Amino acid sequence: MRRGNPPSVSPVLMEKGSHKTQSSRICCLATLSAFFWALLLYFHFAVLTSNNAEDKLVMLGQFADGSVESTQATWISDLPPPVEVQLKQAPETDVSLRLPRKVDFPEKRKHVEDVVAVAKGFPFTRALRTLDNKSDPCGGRYIYVHDLPAKFNEDMLWDCKKLSLWTNMCKFMSNAGLGPPLENAEGVFSDEGWYATNQFAVDVIFSNRMKQYECLTQDSSIAAAIFVPFYAGFDIARYLWGYNISTRDAASLDLVDWLMERPEWKIMQGKDHFLVAGRITWDFRRLSEDESDWGNKLLFLPAARNMSMLVVESSPWNANDFGIPYPTYFHPEKDSDVFFWQERMRRLERKWLFSFAGAPRPDNPKSIRGQIIEQCKRSDAGKLLECDFGESKCHSPSSIMQMFQSSLFCLQPQGDSFTRRSAFDSMLAGCIPVFFHPGSAYTQYTWHLPKDYTKYSVFIPEDDIRKKNVSIEARLRQISPEQVKTMREEVIGLIPRLIYADPRSKLETLKDAFDVAVLAVINKVTRLRKNLIDGRTEYDNFIEENSWKYDLLEEGQREVGGHEWDPFFSKPKEGEGGDSSSSSAEAAKNSWKNEQRHQG
């Protein structure tokens, strides 16, 4: 059977069918191509532009000194339809930025706010933004630590024999700066956490505590503050006697030169930096270039004035130093050590109404120590531990703490300068301090002590003692037993924030003196940054000479007025003290001479 031929197809129909298939394919390819290009354009504008913007923001941040050029900001013109905004970039430079007319999403608004802030010269907005991250336990608390050359810190410890003219400081550098453990043969201390700590050892104790800080970062752009681990106190201690001013100033000048070359410094010109010195402020405030003048000029260097310096005694007339507690003998490893000690101080029987440990100051006609010693000798309710004439008990931590633990009130007149380590030893013993000058505590340790000084202390003006208008015993007996109990409980409650925990461990729930100081620095820097962005200052008509008043203002107050302590801190006249005369330097000299007297 023969197969039939296939049906014939018209050439015209074949040509039409082929053309239809080809057209469909071209349409499909065109559609896919259009979709691809649309997707590519969306990816470019929605993603790459945002990422590129952040990269450019970082680049802008490198010119925080005001040297941003207008070409650095032209990238913003790639964004949606613009509106012209004039921003003052620096005193000499105006930068015209092109910003979006409308932002539809909160994250975009924040992005534009960052652009504005950085363009104004505030590249620290990333650090401020960490405050908004509620899931980050370190948000707003990060600390960046400069990696200083060893000559500024560790090398001093290797050469520890030169840290003091009369004392071998090497033993005090043991145990991370706490010194050798104290024996507890008389049962005055608890079994753990007590050391023979030198009163000027805060430099190394604080730096070692910083190594245990839970929110350290290697990214300085998110840091709430920047720590400079310079052992300023140890540095000047080496050269206070017998060295010229060039030697005394050398390390401070080298440090400033090193810091000013760092990109971290240029962000805020050092206003977010802080360092710690375990000596009184007068050791760093040399007034002249006279070789016979005392100390170095670290705190008078223009760059250093931008930093915050934490010292065991600050100046009431200057704004770049802040008082932190002297170290005591107690350095607990854990919270339970503190709780145990506090409870023990509550249960103690205190047979003395008041006590005083110290030496007279016959060379200082304004000192009231002589009158205090006389009142202690005349009173059956007072306990006196004289620290002159080589009496060894004043050099015994056990004897000192035992006396404080058996007293209701502990007298704390000025030492060679405003402050004394004894004030913190006595409060550690649960003894209510009695101060005679506001500069001994109330204007010094505003981060660590309540502003309402009547809660935890008694104040008797020096003049009342000097003029023999007041009997200390009579004044203290006016305080009711109920009030004494309340005040003592307040003092015992303050103990955690007045001590430095062991740097080799960490407290869990309690905040020690280190934690309180670091948080205060962070809050200070954060307020400054926010004020800069808002174009305002922290205080109205700020007068540095009245620095002590600003520390006592209540929340929201911006201007100081008259104060009950004005007579104590009026501008010093020639020969009357303060850093506009030579007597503060003389006090520093005396403090150095007497530092081995435990009570200063």
Side-chain angles (χ1 to χ4, degrees):
M1 184 175 185
R2 296 174 61 186
R3 291 184 178 178
N5 293 327
S8 59
V9 181
S10 167
V12 176
L13 291 175
M14 288 181 64
E15 184 175 339
K16 286 183 179 180
S18 175
H19 178 71
K20 184 177 181 180
T21 303
Q22 186 175 3
S23 297
S24 298
R25 289 175 179 174
I26 290 174
C27 289
C28 181
L29 287 174
T31 302
L32 288 174
S33 178
F35 178 79
F36 171 78
W37 281 106
L39 184 63
L40 185 62
L41 288 172
Y42 172 82
F43 181 80
H44 173 76
F45 286 106
V47 180
L48 291 183
T49 300
S50 176
N51 291 340
N52 189 41
E54 292 184 3
D55 292 342
K56 296 287 181 71
L57 277 174
V58 173
M59 185 161 60
L60 264 171
Q62 300 304 309
F63 297 89
D65 59 353
S67 60
V68 180
E69 299 178 5
S70 59
T71 53
Q72 297 297 119
T74 55
W75 62 273
I76 306 179
S77 63
D78 293 332
L79 294 174
V83 59
E84 293 292 329
V85 178
Q86 290 289 333
L87 296 177
K88 192 173 178 71
Q89 178 61 33
E92 308 86 5
T93 308
D94 283 332
V95 180
S96 180
L97 299 180
R98 298 167 66 80
L99 300 178
R101 291 182 184 279
K102 183 178 180 181
V103 181
D104 296 321
F105 303 102
E107 60 269 22
K108 293 294 184 182
R109 271 198 304 276
K110 288 183 178 181
H111 181 68
V112 172
E113 289 170 3
D114 285 346
V115 170
V116 173
V118 173
K120 286 182 176 179
F122 308 133
F124 43 72
T125 52
R126 189 179 176 209
L128 286 177
R129 199 64 80 191
T130 64
L131 284 165
D132 299 330
N133 187 356
K134 303 305 180 184
S135 64
D136 183 0
C138 288
R141 298 196 301 124
Y142 286 105
I143 297 290
Y144 177 85
V145 180
H146 274 301
D147 185 16
L148 295 181
K151 68 177 182 178
F152 293 118
N153 41 52
E154 296 302 324
D155 285 355
M156 298 183 201
L157 303 187
W158 285 107
D159 206 12
C160 53
K161 290 182 179 180
K162 296 182 179 179
L163 293 180
S164 174
L165 183 62
W166 295 287
T167 306
N168 184 353
M169 291 290 290
C170 294
K171 69 175 183 178
F172 295 111
M173 296 302 99
S174 61
N175 295 305
L178 305 182
L182 286 172
E183 296 182 1
N184 192 26
E186 300 178 31
V188 176
F189 314 122
S190 44
D191 293 334
E192 302 290 338
W194 291 81
Y195 298 85
T197 304
N198 185 274
Q199 63 178 332
F200 298 129
V202 168
D203 301 61
V204 66
I205 294 174
F206 202 99
S207 291
N208 285 328
R209 281 282 284 111
M210 184 62 76
K211 295 174 184 177
Q212 302 297 328
Y213 183 64
E214 66 271 22
C215 295
L216 294 179
T217 180
Q218 295 295 319
D219 183 358
S220 62
S221 71
I222 64 170
I226 296 177
F227 180 56
V228 182
F230 173 46
Y231 294 164
F234 290 162
D235 168 54
I236 190 55
R238 300 177 294 180
Y239 306 124
L240 280 172
W241 295 92
Y243 292 87
N244 60 32
I245 59 175
S246 297
T247 302
R248 284 180 261 157
D249 291 341
S252 297
L253 293 171
D254 287 348
L255 174 74
V256 167
D257 288 342
W258 188 90
L259 287 172
M260 292 177 68
E261 293 298 318
R262 301 292 302 172
E264 296 85 6
W265 177 273
K266 296 176 182 178
I267 298 298
M268 294 185 69
Q269 299 301 306
K271 289 183 173 65
D272 53 355
H273 285 49
F274 72 104
L275 56 85
V276 173
R279 298 195 67 87
I280 62 177
T281 187
W282 316 112
D283 291 339
F284 311 100
R285 292 188 179 279
R286 192 182 70 247
L287 297 172
S288 73
E289 297 303 295
D290 189 332
E291 293 288 348
S292 64
D293 207 349
W294 179 256
N296 68 22
K297 59 181 181 181
L298 172 60
L299 282 173
F300 284 141
L301 296 176
R305 288 179 66 87
N306 284 350
M307 293 190 286
S308 297
M309 186 156 165
L310 280 51
V311 288
V312 293
E313 177 177 320
S314 63
S315 165
W317 303 288
N318 300 93
N320 59 331
D321 57 355
F322 302 87
I324 59 173
Y326 284 86
T328 65
Y329 301 112
F330 186 36
H331 306 281
E333 293 183 358
K334 50 188 181 296
D335 292 20
S336 58
D337 295 340
V338 183
F339 297 143
F340 175 82
W341 180 256
Q342 287 177 300
E343 188 57 33
R344 180 177 170 181
M345 294 304 99
R346 290 186 180 98
R347 296 196 308 265
L348 286 177
E349 292 292 330
R350 300 176 184 266
K351 62 180 180 179
W352 301 107
L353 176 64
F354 64 96
S355 63
F356 173 64
R361 293 292 187 265
D363 297 334
N364 182 0
K366 292 193 173 184
S367 174
I368 61 170
R369 287 190 173 205
Q371 291 93 323
I372 287 176
I373 290 173
E374 286 301 316
Q375 290 205 32
C376 286
K377 288 180 177 179
R378 292 197 306 265
S379 173
D380 293 334
K383 172 67 174 175
L384 174 65
L385 193 61
E386 289 190 84
C387 298
D388 213 355
F389 310 112
E391 187 170 338
S392 60
K393 286 186 177 180
C394 279
H395 302 279
S396 166
S398 179
S399 297
I400 294 293
M401 292 300 294
Q402 189 173 43
M403 185 184 73
F404 289 160
Q405 289 175 26
S406 62
S407 305
L408 289 174
F409 296 94
C410 292
L411 309 184
Q412 301 296 344
Q414 294 188 66
D416 297 294
S417 57
F418 287 129
T419 63
R420 306 175 74 206
R421 168 182 173 160
S422 174
F424 297 98
D425 289 333
S426 65
M427 285 189 279
L428 175 61
C431 188
I432 301 168
V434 180
F435 295 110
F436 301 86
H437 192 290
S440 295
Y442 308 147
T443 63
Q444 290 287 344
Y445 311 108
T446 55
W447 293 347
H448 295 78
L449 295 175
K451 289 183 179 180
D452 184 357
Y453 63 88
T454 63
K455 288 183 176 181
Y456 71 94
S457 72
V458 176
F459 179 59
I460 303 176
E462 283 183 334
D463 272 352
D464 289 346
I465 302 299
R466 190 175 293 116
K467 296 175 182 178
K468 300 182 179 181
N469 293 334
V470 169
S471 162
I472 295 174
E473 178 179 349
R475 171 70 177 82
L476 297 178
R477 289 197 183 280
Q478 293 174 359
I479 304 174
S480 69
E482 294 77 15
Q483 188 176 354
V484 170
K485 183 178 180 181
T486 300
M487 294 172 70
R488 185 170 69 248
E489 182 59 33
E490 182 76 21
V491 170
I492 293 173
L494 288 172
I495 288 176
R497 59 195 295 117
L498 303 181
I499 58 178
Y500 296 90
D502 193 320
R504 298 162 295 185
S505 59
K506 189 181 183 306
L507 302 181
E508 295 178 3
T509 63
L510 297 174
K511 302 299 182 184
D512 72 343
F514 168 88
D515 294 317
V516 173
V518 169
L519 180 59
V521 170
I522 287 174
N523 289 340
K524 175 180 177 290
V525 174
T526 300
R527 287 197 309 271
L528 175 60
R529 287 171 168 174
K530 290 181 176 180
N531 285 335
L532 286 173
I533 291 176
D534 293 340
R536 60 178 289 177
T537 58
E538 185 166 7
Y539 302 115
D540 296 331
N541 305 314
F542 179 78
I543 303 174
E544 188 176 28
E545 183 183 299
N546 291 331
S547 292
W548 65 271
K549 291 188 179 184
Y550 292 96
D551 293 333
L552 301 175
L553 289 178
E554 297 297 330
E555 189 70 28
Q557 285 187 283
R558 292 175 50 81
E559 192 164 7
V560 300
H563 198 281
E564 62 177 310
W565 292 332
D566 282 341
F568 293 92
F569 295 111
S570 58
K571 184 175 181 180
K573 298 176 182 178
E574 189 64 28
E576 287 189 357
D579 76 4
S580 64
S581 75
S582 61
S583 68
S584 57
E586 191 63 34
K589 289 182 184 179
N590 291 333
S591 179
W592 176 262
K593 289 178 182 178
N594 294 308
E595 71 175 57
Q596 293 314 304
R597 297 175 180 172
H598 166 77
Q599 300 305 311

